[in-house]
Every structure is written in structure tokens, then in C-alpha cells.
Amino acid sequence: MTHEIRFESPSFSRRIKGMLGVDFYRLFHTPLFYIFLAIAAIIPAMVSAMTMMPDRSGNTMEPLYSNVWQIIAASKSMYVIETIADYANMNMVFIFGGIMVSIFIGHDYRSGYVKQLFTTHAKKQDYMISKSLVCAFAMACMCVSYFLGGTVAGLLVGYETDVNAGSLIIAIIGKMVMSLGWASLYTFLNVIFRKYFGISIASSFFFGTGILIIGVAAIVENLAIPTSFLNVFLYGASVNACLASNISALVICVVVSVVWAVIYNVAGTVLLNKCDVY
């Protein structure tokens, strides 16, 4: 009598749990994560406390902000920035957060971890999902660090503190929620440029600055075409998370972030399945 030995493939939940465990261990045990948390706190503090701009007459220099919470979010939802103060808020996390993601994922390829991982028949979709979730967590933590650094600096400088508390909370949560969409985009970009570390960092920085979106918004505005779709499809609803936000703005951020995550994870999985992943 012969006995056939069968090896059951681990379930999706077990695979993801295992990969998340490895990625979170790597995240918490590398200086990279803590360095970027510090950067996320220091940059808004420096911008808030030290940046001066000419007033309307152009003769006198005045602080970039007048209210503590302007460093966190713009006062209103806008598609084309009016002043640098409207741009220099928590959206900056999506710039240096993208650089962090590039370094974190880039190490997988430089160290040979990816080759070892996929040699053991790990699913490509699991890799995309795990990286997106772990990097989204890291960027959400950077949002919290940014909030603390910017708030402390603004209070020390003596800015006004008037704000609708509910809108402020929604704005902060909305930007943290968008971390999932942005992390998925950066993971996808790093899969595309996996063999070119410098290009992967440059591409993440470029998309994070929103230069492309601002340019498209200006063109669309000149053509008298409604710009509301830009908020959803190009800049990830981040502009909706402002100091005038309501619960519907948060819902939009959640929906858009999830849609981005699905699109970029599927695209990244297809790319990894069809190309040389090493």
C-alpha cells in the first residue's frame, strides 16, 4: 500500500500574515524608519517657524503662516495652489514618504531578498499587498510626526489657534488614509524601476511633489473644463482634506485611497508576473 503525501498551499491570510510579519520586523529594525519620522517632524517645524515671505506690498517680510493649523492643511479645497503656504502642508509627507518607500523597497533588490523570496514561490500579489500596507503604515506614522512637529513649532512661534476642531481632525485622518493610495503608487513605481534605484527615487519624488497634477490642473482650468475630477483621479483627494473638510471629504479620501491601492497593486502584480523580477 502506498501513501500519497500532499502538501497544502498556505491560505492567503496565512501568506499575508507571514509576509507582513517579516516586513514590519524589517521596518522597525532599520534606522530608515526613525530617520524619516524625525524628518517628518523637523521639516514642518522649520517651515513654520523660520520661513518668511514678502507681504502684498512686497516691502515687508512676514511669516508664511498666521495660524498654527495652516502647516497641517490648506484652508480650503483647491486644485491650483494660490500661494506656497497652500502647498507646504502635510501633503509634503507624500514627497519624502515616497523617498522612504523607494529606499525600503530598493533594499529588497540590492540585498538579494527578492530573489530569495520568489525562489520559495511567494505570490507576487502578496509582495505588492504587504509592501503597500507596511509603507502606508510608515507614512501614516510620518503624518502623526509631522503634526506634532508643526504644531509645537507653531505654538512656540505664537501663531493663532482658531480652528474648527472637527474639520482639523477630518483633515488629519483624511491625509493619513491617503497614505495607502500613495504607498501603493510608490510600490508600483519601484517595481517598474526596480533595476534603477536612482530613477525610482526620482520618480517617487516627482509624483509626490504634485508638479504633474498642478500642471494638468492649470491646463484644464484654462480650457474651462471642470477640475473636480483632478481631485479624485490625479492627486488622490488629498486636497479635499483641508481645514473646511466635512465627513463627505473623509469618505472621498477613503474611497479614492482604496481605489488607488487596488489599481496599483493589480498593475504591479501583473508586471511582476510577466517580467524578470530580479
Side-chain angles (χ1 to χ4, degrees):
M1 180 181 294
T2 59
H3 297 277
E4 183 179 349
I5 300 177
R6 296 182 179 179
F7 296 94
E8 294 186 2
S9 176
S11 64
F12 172 75
S13 61
R14 289 184 60 186
R15 297 197 314 267
I16 288 296
K17 182 178 179 180
M19 193 165 289
L20 283 173
V22 173
D23 281 336
F24 272 115
Y25 179 87
R26 292 178 59 239
L27 179 70
F28 292 136
H29 287 79
T30 176
L32 174 71
F33 176 55
Y34 304 100
I35 289 172
F36 274 88
L37 285 181
I39 291 174
I42 293 171
I43 287 183
M46 294 177 60
V47 172
S48 178
M50 301 174 64
T51 304
M52 305 291 287
M53 296 290 291
D55 63 7
R56 294 183 181 275
S57 67
N59 299 320
T60 305
M61 301 297 289
E62 60 183 16
L64 184 61
Y65 306 103
S66 60
N67 189 290
V68 172
W69 314 115
Q70 290 173 332
I71 189 64
I72 307 301
S75 58
K76 61 182 179 179
S77 177
M78 59 185 65
Y79 305 95
V80 181
I81 62 173
E82 299 173 358
T83 67
I84 188 62
D86 299 323
Y87 183 79
N89 53 51
M90 195 178 283
N91 286 343
M92 288 192 291
V93 167
F94 303 135
I95 301 175
F96 40 85
I99 298 174
M100 184 214 70
V101 173
S102 293
I103 298 174
F104 184 67
I105 296 179
H107 183 264
D108 288 354
Y109 291 91
R110 297 196 309 275
S111 66
Y113 169 73
V114 167
K115 183 175 182 178
Q116 179 184 5
L117 179 68
F118 291 130
T119 299
T120 59
H121 307 290
K123 301 285 187 180
K124 309 301 189 301
Q125 67 176 12
D126 298 350
Y127 178 83
M128 289 294 302
I129 293 172
S130 179
K131 285 294 184 290
S132 296
L133 291 176
V134 171
C135 291
F137 170 82
M139 291 176 66
C141 289
M142 290 169 66
C143 287
V144 174
S145 182
Y146 181 101
F147 169 76
L148 295 175
T151 300
V152 170
L155 292 174
L156 291 176
V157 172
Y159 290 155
E160 297 177 0
T161 58
D162 296 339
V163 71
N164 182 313
S167 294
L168 174 62
I169 292 173
I170 289 175
I172 295 171
I173 295 176
K175 292 184 185 298
M176 292 177 67
V177 165
M178 283 307 308
S179 294
L180 175 61
W182 282 101
S184 300
L185 168 61
Y186 293 137
T187 300
F188 175 62
L189 290 175
N190 280 274
V191 166
I192 294 176
F193 300 115
R194 58 194 177 279
K195 297 181 180 179
Y196 308 98
F197 181 61
I199 296 178
S200 68
I201 291 181
S203 65
S204 295
F205 177 82
F206 175 76
F207 280 93
T209 60
I211 294 175
L212 176 63
I213 292 86
I214 293 171
V216 173
I219 294 173
V220 171
E221 185 179 51
N222 291 335
L223 295 176
I225 299 174
T227 57
S228 58
F229 77 93
L230 292 172
N231 183 39
V232 176
F233 295 108
L234 293 180
Y235 208 63
S238 300
V239 296
N240 254 4
C242 63
L243 298 181
S245 296
N246 52 33
I247 195 65
S248 64
L250 179 58
V251 171
I252 292 175
C253 287
V254 171
V255 172
V256 172
S257 189
V258 171
V259 170
W260 272 34
V262 171
I263 291 174
Y264 291 121
N265 273 272
V266 170
T269 300
V270 171
L271 181 62
L272 286 174
N273 284 328
K274 291 186 175 181
C275 302
D276 176 16
V277 298
Y278 310 130

